[in-house]
Amino acid sequence: MQVFPNPAQSDIPELRVSGYGHSKNGFNGTVEIQRMTGETVFTKQFSCGGNCDEYSIPLHGELTPGVYLVNVISNGRRTSKRLLVK
């Protein structure tokens, strides 16, 4: 899994998560963004019915500067990447 852009600016309107191109039959999952303290600041359910190579996360500039974990949970499996917001 990759998260773009990383590092990101605090006023970023969206993030992109990629790396699910192998899921050609689609999947359902949850995206969570957590502060390093464990506080969840964003969560959203999503579905992908076809080529899942990239998914956009609408943020509308809601992240303040700091370090976050971006978690994708699908089929009982959690994948995490660290995100730096300036």
Side-chain angles (χ1 to χ4, degrees):
M1 176 179 89
Q2 297 296 320
V3 178
F4 298 97
N6 192 4
Q9 297 298 317
S10 61
D11 61 351
I12 188 168
E14 72 177 25
L15 286 175
R16 291 183 320 255
V17 176
S18 66
Y20 290 95
H22 61 279
S23 300
K24 299 211 185 300
N25 294 326
F27 64 95
N28 296 317
T30 303
V31 174
E32 292 178 344
I33 300 177
Q34 296 178 318
R35 294 184 194 281
M36 295 306 288
T37 60
E39 174 190 4
T40 300
V41 295
F42 177 89
T43 186
K44 184 174 181 182
Q45 299 282 327
F46 69 96
S47 280
C48 178
N51 183 356
C52 304
D53 190 45
E54 189 171 277
Y55 180 75
S56 293
I57 303 169
L59 295 175
H60 311 292
E62 295 177 22
L63 298 180
T64 59
V67 179
Y68 296 83
L69 283 178
V70 178
N71 302 305
V72 176
I73 302 135
S74 179
N75 298 323
R77 184 173 168 212
R78 176 185 299 255
T79 305
S80 301
K81 286 292 178 182
R82 193 166 67 167
L83 171 67
L84 174 63
V85 176
K86 295 180 178 184

